[in-house]
DNA sequence: TGTCATAATGTTACCGGTAACATATTGAGG
DNA sequence: CCTCAATATGTTACCGGTAACATTATGACA
């Protein structure tokens, strides 16, 4: 039943030549006689021969594969922000003739598999995303001398790997300034629990703008998920705080905020304006559609991947912490009032 | 700079024993003297030794890894439906001590990588999801005798691999009957372009209910994405067709439909009721929240994985095409009118 | 104390490729 | 027709583990 996979030896034997010639026909065809090359090619085809990757890698070949570490959240195996980054990176890696492989940063088994792969040279480097690094993981990367770059967070704490991120501070300046511009006087900020540079930076931008405009700040902390947004607005409503603008840490949170506001007397954007951060594809699909600060995930990850390839190649990259500029994207949730037909 | 990874030989040499004893200490500790075992364990720890996976696999060990093939769509690297399946499968595989690895069915490189992995015994089997199989892929699976099961589609066309899916026909009966029950008289069906058994089955259920109730059917075909839902309603509006209920092929499409309806005079659920299919996590978060037919992705994928492990173990599974029952989930889009505070 | 089953360890060969070096073949130019 | 460089092919060793078989150490019991 099981078709045994042919080996290079069988191919060689069938042709009455040495397996080295076959190997060369595959990897350095120019070093093989034209006639032999043809015969080899044909019989490899016939027998559906494929060299075993493991044998190749064991013999010292590069695997040309990059691993991505991503931490799922409650609703997404690959949260939209990372998804965009992966798309960008994959597209770029394809041009460099690299494959990509995604690992689940929340699963012990997956983490272990990754370390095994690296250890076996099945993976040449890693891209770890904002939120996906914990101590175990980064320690493993370090101990195994695995080239790695981080995307989405401004620094990687105690681990000195290069980081590529949006400029969160100026991004939040843009967002909150926009809210002020469209007339908000009581702006609330919903951000995440815990300690992340991005939480900190975006809060800082928020505080800055509010101070400059003599407005009273109010920060709510929930999970960075749709549910977190729902919960955030819920807390606001219950606390009786009056507000006419919400700056959410992420589009997911903003989505939750919109969702919760929908079932109240407060209309968006008439009574409350909501703005998010990231510009994930779904931001277009919320009701009303979501204004946000756009991170250029594609560009960021493209850059990150380029850097990673350089490190793998042995070069030290110059810039260790790179910040990309952001764009304000205005949609219905802060300005345009949808026209009802 | 580069810390060379220690090999089993180095460990053995350092202890003055044969590497076989070290290998045994790792894989069959009970066959090694207590004292030796301790010494080996300690020095492995000290030197941070990890056996190379490739060497192991080449020597014939199982890799205990399952590959998942998933076809991204425009908005999601892993569409929500598959995401839920992956979660369910991964949880279950974890118990069986298997790792999971996700491959992108739309990327040639990723497909090639998968085939290489299988060919090298780095992967023991595959779960291919509805929509992810194309000819190239399934041919590769077949040619390499890779155990595979399909999840989400009622049959895999010309390829005879076991399939696990929802019972699409009875599921759609439930959905459309519900629309009738809540008073809809002009029910439209938005489904996908092309030829998939699930398209067909759900359409059939739709026709069945409409015929039984003497209603006029109307089928619109667009992409199975949020955008497709938007486009579908757009077409309806432009064509001047009157409708008071929409049965969408998937929750994503239904989401798009809701989105498009939001900016019209037609209110959901007062004027138009909308129902989807799948019950992805996001269905709770649309505005209004989405009624749908729930597929039990967790159970389905758990079952699929069990079957796959059996096939890998050499057993032929009895049931080749298994259908799981569905549940109607009623939310705001078909019944409850949200209370405005 | 000698014997023999059992536990502990060692030896050999192999998994399937590739690099480095060695040898054989070809053919152009004298 | 011979020589020598270039081209084509072959040989050997190694990557880092594991299974199967071989050998040696241990110790319970007669």
């Amino acid at each position: 039943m099981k078709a045994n996979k042919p080996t290079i030896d069988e191919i060689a034997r069938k042709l009455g030549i040495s397996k080295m010639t076959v190997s060369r026909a595959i990897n350095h065809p120019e070093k093989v006689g034209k006639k032999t090359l043809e015969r080899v090619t044909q019989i490899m085809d016939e027998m559906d021969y494929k060299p075993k990757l493991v044998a190749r890698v064991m013999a010292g070949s590069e695997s040309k594969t990059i691993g991505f570490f991503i931490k799922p959240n409650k609703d997404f195996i690959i949260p939209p922000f990372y998804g965009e980054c992966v798309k960008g990176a994959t597209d770029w890696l394809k041009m460099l003739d690299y494959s990509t492989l995604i690992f689940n940063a929340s699963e012990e088994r997956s983490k272990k598999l990754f370390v095994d792969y690296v250890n076996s040279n099945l993976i040449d480097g890693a891209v770890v995303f904002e939120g996906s690094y914990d101590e175990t993981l980064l320690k493993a990367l370090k101990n195994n001398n695995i080239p790695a770059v981080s995307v989405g967070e401004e620094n990687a704490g105690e681990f000195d790997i290069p980081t590529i991120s949006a400029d969160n501070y100026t991004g939040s300046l843009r967002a909150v300034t926009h809210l002020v511009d469209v007339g908000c006087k009581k702006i609330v900020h919903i951000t995440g629990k815990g300690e992340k540079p991005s939480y900190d930076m975006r809060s800082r931008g928020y505080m800055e703008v509010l101070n400059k405009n003599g407005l009273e700040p109010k920060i709510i902390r929930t999970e960075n998920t749709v549910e977190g947004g729902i919960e955030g607005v819920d807390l606001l409503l219950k606390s009786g705080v009056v507000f006419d603008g919400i700056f959410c840490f992420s589009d997911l949170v903003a989505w939750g905020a919109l969702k919760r506001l929908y079932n109240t007397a407060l209309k968006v954007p008439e009574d409350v304006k909501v703005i998010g951060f990231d510009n994930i594809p779904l931001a277009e699909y919320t009701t009303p559609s979501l204004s946000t600060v756009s991170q250029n995930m594609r560009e960021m990850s493209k850059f990150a991947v380029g850097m990673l390839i350089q490190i793998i190649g042995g070069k030290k990259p110059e810039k260790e912490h790179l910040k990309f500029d952001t764009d304000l994207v205005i949609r219905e949730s802060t300005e345009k009032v949808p026209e009802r037909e």
Side-chain angles (χ1 to χ4, degrees), chain A residues 99-328:
Chain A
S99 301
T100 60
L101 217 36
I102 296 176
F103 293 82
N104 182 330
S106 303
E107 288 281 344
E108 271 322 303
R109 271 219 69 121
S110 187
K111 223 185 282 185
K112 194 172 150 333
L113 190 67
F114 172 80
V115 174
D116 278 347
Y117 274 32
V118 170
N119 201 247
S120 296
N121 299 315
L122 282 171
I123 282 184
D124 304 322
V127 178
V128 300
F129 286 104
E130 172 267 314
S132 78
Y133 32 73
D134 60 17
E135 227 167 306
T136 327
L137 177 61
L138 284 179
K139 222 175 254 170
L141 290 171
K142 193 150 200 168
N143 288 348
N144 288 280
N145 267 104
I146 302 162
V149 301
S150 164
V151 171
E153 198 53 276
E154 297 191 17
N155 72 65
E158 49 185 316
F159 301 91
D160 60 340
I161 62 179
T163 62
I164 322 296
S165 73
D167 188 329
N168 289 299
Y169 175 70
T170 59
S172 67
L173 290 184
R174 274 191 231 290
V176 185
T177 301
H178 172 62
L179 289 181
V180 171
D181 287 348
V182 293
C184 297
K185 300 290 180 203
K186 288 151 189 162
I187 304 172
V188 177
H189 179 38
I190 303 181
T191 186
K193 290 172 173 169
E195 295 285 324
K196 284 209 285 190
S198 51
Y199 292 164
D200 196 39
M201 284 300 155
R202 293 184 199 170
S203 297
R204 223 178 271 188
Y206 164 79
M207 293 302 287
E208 174 77 18
V209 177
L210 264 68
N211 282 337
K212 195 156 49 181
N213 289 277
L215 302 176
E216 192 71 24
K218 167 84 187 170
I219 296 184
I220 300 266
R221 291 183 182 276
T222 64
E223 292 299 315
N224 178 21
T225 57
V226 180
E227 201 127 2
I230 293 174
E231 189 195 336
V233 171
D234 217 47
L235 289 172
L236 277 175
L237 293 172
K238 285 193 180 128
S239 72
V241 175
V242 179
F243 59 96
D244 59 5
I246 309 180
F247 168 44
C248 297
F249 174 78
S250 71
D251 288 347
L252 291 182
V253 172
W255 180 5
L258 290 176
K259 170 67 188 160
R260 181 63 186 84
L261 287 169
Y262 179 76
N263 287 356
T264 70
L266 297 170
K267 306 207 76 173
V268 180
E270 291 85 343
D271 306 315
V272 181
K273 310 210 191 300
V274 176
I275 192 165
F277 207 107
D278 289 347
N279 195 28
I280 59 178
L282 310 184
E284 273 187 83
Y285 301 142
T286 57
T287 43
S289 62
L290 185 65
S291 294
T292 189
V293 176
S294 174
Q295 302 197 44
N296 198 332
M297 295 94 153
R298 298 292 183 109
E299 277 306 307
M300 284 184 352
S301 44
K302 177 174 158 178
F303 197 92
V305 158
M307 206 176 217
L308 186 59
I309 302 285
Q310 283 209 330
I311 303 177
I312 291 172
K315 290 173 201 152
K316 273 263 166 197
E318 314 103 46
K319 267 269 189 181
E320 289 285 320
H321 297 285
L322 209 83
K323 290 186 200 175
F324 275 70
D325 208 3
T326 53
D327 294 299
L328 184 65

